[in-house]
Amino acid sequence: MTNSEKLLSSFSEDFFYKELVYADLKFVPKGGTEIELADLIINLEDVILAIQLKERNERDRTQDKNVEEKWLKKKCKKAKEQIKDTILFINNEKVSFVNARGKATKINPNAEIVPLVVFENVSISEYEHLLRSHTADGLSVNCMSIDDFQLMCQELVSPIEIIEYVKWRKAFYEKNGAINLLITETKKGFFLSKPQKQETLVHRYLYEQYGDDVLAEDNFYYELFRQYVSVLYEHIEVVSEPDGCYEVVKFLAHLFRDEIRCFVERVDKALVIAKRKRFELVGTLSNSQKEYAMVFTATEQGEQIPSEKLLSVVFEKQIVHTLLQIITYWIDDDEYRIDFVLWQDNRSI
């Protein structure tokens, strides 16, 4: 791994969770020789973010803007071809890769694949944010510097939201071209952003999705959520068959900002109630479109309620294909636990 690959992988594990990160993508097709696909994929199974990284060796960098831009243009052309090969192989071959947790997973050949080119070159401050296709069968691909990639991840709070933003960003630049100054009218006035610098287009995306309030929102809730998810594997004592912890992380990675906030608020409420020695069902959270439901309980020692009972009593009037129990309890006055029990279509994992 180059320094940039290590850095990008580190960002990805922080913001996408190790269960979703695949950085060793060498593959030997039947009867062929070993090839390497994208440098990194973020695999949510139904959707995949495929990242191709290009790094400028420090000894080769110059102060000549034209030279550096020519380097980027050449590397981006190659990156697009590598991304196309990645999409082709995932769509047509039964491939399996090992994630950052060491778990081998078969890649869904029918997954939606979202391509992204990330480059590392401190000599380049301005660049084409969309690598446009010049043919009917070509591929238009988002492009960003590794610094902008980090800024994007810091502003957005869930893996699925990052992937949805990358898709939205491509559509934005296809429609509007390169925009140096963007004026957005809100109920509270106007805000100005420069989309071509430091990935400030994220703020426009957040405003369109969530309205004015998100622009001044405290990320405290979302940092707590990341902590909950990132320590799941460290907390469990027995890995179920199939790997229930992986399934829980994959489910949580599909939650958007508004869902995450509700999730953390209910967990916090359950912990407060459990500390007061009141053990009860604290709240629920459901999404009829996604056909999932969550139940939050305050317990004494991590007791779970049979999922079938919850479905028949609490959610009898709605279709639920996925049910997640979030079970809170205190080990002592200073330490708490959060357990997860996931039920999916008549099976508990």
Side-chain angles (χ1 to χ4, degrees), residues 185-252:
E185 183 179 5
T186 75
K187 294 178 181 178
K188 299 178 181 179
F190 296 87
F191 73 84
L192 307 180
S193 57
K194 294 183 177 182
Q196 299 298 307
K197 292 183 181 295
Q198 297 186 324
E199 208 53 32
T200 56
L201 193 61
V202 169
H203 302 138
R204 172 63 176 263
Y205 168 79
L206 289 174
Y207 171 73
E208 285 192 10
Q209 300 301 311
Y210 302 105
D212 291 43
D213 293 339
V214 73
L215 301 176
E217 196 171 34
D218 187 349
N219 277 351
F220 171 75
Y221 284 92
Y222 313 119
E223 292 303 324
L224 270 181
F225 181 79
R226 283 196 184 112
Q227 291 176 31
Y228 296 157
V229 180
S230 64
V231 300
L232 270 179
Y233 263 96
E234 285 74 7
H235 171 47
I236 62 171
E237 296 180 2
V238 178
V239 176
S240 61
E241 184 64 43
D243 188 346
C245 192
Y246 170 75
E247 295 294 331
V248 170
V249 173
K250 186 178 67 177
F251 171 78
L252 295 176

Side-chain angles (χ1 to χ4, degrees), residues 62-116:
T62 71
Q63 298 300 314
D64 190 322
K65 180 180 177 181
N66 292 328
V67 170
E68 298 308 311
E69 288 180 350
K70 188 179 292 185
W71 169 87
L72 182 61
K73 185 175 182 180
K74 178 181 177 182
K75 291 298 182 181
C76 284
K77 183 178 180 181
K78 183 177 180 181
K80 283 181 65 175
E81 293 304 314
Q82 290 171 305
I83 288 282
K84 287 174 70 174
D85 289 343
T86 298
I87 295 173
L88 180 66
F89 275 100
I90 288 177
N91 287 338
N92 294 283
E93 302 283 346
K94 293 181 179 179
V95 295
S96 178
F97 298 118
V98 177
N99 66 18
R101 285 285 185 191
K103 173 183 169 61
T105 306
K106 290 183 179 179
I107 306 301
N108 176 13
N110 299 314
E112 177 186 8
I113 302 174
V114 180
L116 173 64

